[in-house]
Each structure stands twice: as structure tokens, then as C-alpha cells.
Amino acid sequence: MKFEVFKNSTIRHFHNNLWLYVLSSVCMCTGVVLGVYTVKYMSSFERNDLLGYLTSFAKNDGLKSINYNQVLLESIKNNIPLIAIVWFLGLTMIGIPIILVIDALKGFTVGFTVTFFVNGLGIKGVWMALLSIIPQNIIYIPCIMITSVLAMEFSFMLIRDNVKKNWTKNVSSKIFSYTLVFVMLSVLMFTGFFFETYLTPSIIRAMS
């Protein structure tokens, strides 16, 4: 019974906010395209410098004794604050443009990284991107997109309620439900954190 309620609620959410998902997807895709073109128009000096850094990092003996706890902490610090910012922007009624910029920046990061690997390392870069970049982002990107849409939806709701002068009605319970979903999605992202921490360094070293 609870599963059916959750299923119906999820379907209704996606149906009611389809246009927001399209908007978020367009911003992410725009970021990906910008990332691709940034790599394309980098100078050969910049490209070789970054490629040399990547290669030396992958072959460095220090990678064998890497502090995985520190890497996990960095992964968390790079993503959870982003989710927290999106959550806060959803409460402001004016944060929608910034949320879309965040989506574009996430797309840019993925597009730049994957294109750089492929452009700099050829077939090896394709495999490296598929095995060490794409897997965690299969989790990160949907989570960020869903949180972005939830934040924009909540912001529109606050604007609508404010116009109707009934924004205080059940506001605390709405914020609680809104926050709870963000917490659940943040917990889900830990699957990506563990992959990025414990598998990605080994894959990069093995492929280099």
C-alpha cells in the first residue's frame, strides 16, 4: 500500500513538473556542450599540461597509499554543499536562475572531463571515462536534476502562495517534506561517493 502511494506520488510529480525537468536537462546539456568546446579550443600547451598532470598522478606511487578517507571526504565536500545550496535556493523564491546555472555547471564539468579524457588519451580515454567518470555521474546527475526541479517547484509554490496571501498555510510541514526528500537523495548520492573514492583511483592507475 505504501509503495503504491509512493509510486503514484512520484508519477504525479514527474507529470506535473515535466517542463521543469526539460528545462533542467536543457541547461545541463548546454553545460556539456560548453565543456566539449572548451576542451576543443584549449591551447596545446594547456592541454598537454593537464594531460601530463593526469598521467603523472595516475602513475605516482603515492596513489598506491592514497588516503581513501580523505578522498571520500573530498567527494562529499564537492557534492553535498551543492545540494544544500540548491535546497536553500528553493526557499528563497528568487533562486531559480541560480539553480539553472548550477545545472549548467554540472553539465560543463562532466562534458569537459569526458572530452578531455577522450581527446587526450584516445581509446584509453574512452574506457577511462566510461569506467571512472560515467558510473558515479549516473547517480549524481539524476540526483542533482531531481533536487533542482524540487527546489524550483517549491520556489514556484511559495511565489504562488505569496500572491494568494496564504503562504503561511502548512508551511512548516511543506518545508519538512521538502527537506526530507533532499536528505534521502543526499544519502543515495553516497553510492556514487564510494565508487568515486574506492574504484576510480584504481581504474585510472590500471588504465594509465
Side-chain angles (χ1 to χ4, degrees), residues 66-125:
I66 190 169
N67 187 335
Y68 289 103
N69 291 333
Q70 185 63 34
V71 175
L72 177 61
L73 181 61
E74 287 299 319
S75 297
I76 294 172
K77 286 168 59 179
N78 290 336
N79 290 277
I80 295 301
L82 188 67
I83 298 296
I85 291 171
V86 173
W87 171 84
F88 174 76
L89 290 171
L91 300 174
T92 64
M93 294 190 288
I94 58 172
I96 293 174
I98 303 175
I99 292 171
L100 295 175
V101 170
I102 290 174
D103 289 343
L105 289 174
K106 182 60 181 177
F108 176 87
T109 301
V110 175
F112 179 89
T113 306
V114 171
T115 305
F116 179 77
F117 276 25
V118 173
N119 186 272
L121 300 174
I123 296 299
K124 184 186 292 185

Side-chain angles (χ1 to χ4, degrees), residues 66 68 71-72 74-79 106 109 131-133 135-137 139-140 189-204:
I66 190 169
Y68 289 103
V71 175
L72 177 61
E74 287 299 319
S75 297
I76 294 172
K77 286 168 59 179
N78 290 336
N79 290 277
K106 182 60 181 177
T109 301
L131 295 174
S132 65
I133 303 299
Q136 61 262 33
N137 280 290
I139 298 171
Y140 293 162
M189 289 184 74
F190 271 82
T191 305
F193 298 157
F194 284 115
F195 188 97
E196 186 175 359
T197 299
Y198 296 105
L199 295 180
T200 296
S202 299
I203 292 172
I204 292 177

Side-chain angles (χ1 to χ4, degrees), residues 52-191:
Y53 173 79
L54 174 65
T55 303
S56 63
F57 171 79
K59 292 181 178 179
N60 197 316
D61 291 336
L63 193 60
K64 298 177 182 178
S65 58
I66 190 169
N67 187 335
Y68 289 103
N69 291 333
Q70 185 63 34
V71 175
L72 177 61
L73 181 61
E74 287 299 319
S75 297
I76 294 172
K77 286 168 59 179
N78 290 336
N79 290 277
I80 295 301
L82 188 67
I83 298 296
I85 291 171
V86 173
W87 171 84
F88 174 76
L89 290 171
L91 300 174
T92 64
M93 294 190 288
I94 58 172
I96 293 174
I98 303 175
I99 292 171
L100 295 175
V101 170
I102 290 174
D103 289 343
L105 289 174
K106 182 60 181 177
F108 176 87
T109 301
V110 175
F112 179 89
T113 306
V114 171
T115 305
F116 179 77
F117 276 25
V118 173
N119 186 272
L121 300 174
I123 296 299
K124 184 186 292 185
V126 173
W127 284 107
M128 191 176 292
L130 288 173
L131 295 174
S132 65
I133 303 299
I134 301 300
Q136 61 262 33
N137 280 290
I138 289 176
I139 298 171
Y140 293 162
I141 290 177
C143 285
I144 291 173
M145 185 177 295
I146 292 171
T147 54
S148 296
V149 171
L150 286 170
M152 290 188 286
E153 179 190 25
F154 197 82
S155 185
F156 278 125
M157 183 199 70
L158 291 178
I159 294 171
R160 183 175 61 251
D161 289 351
N162 187 54
V163 170
K164 295 179 180 179
K165 305 300 181 183
N166 65 341
W167 65 272
T168 57
K169 185 178 180 180
N170 297 324
V171 66
S172 59
S173 62
K174 291 176 181 178
I175 292 176
F176 176 78
S177 300
Y178 170 72
T179 303
L180 182 61
V181 178
F182 269 73
V183 172
M184 293 170 62
L185 289 169
S186 297
V187 171
L188 178 60
M189 289 184 74
F190 271 82
T191 305

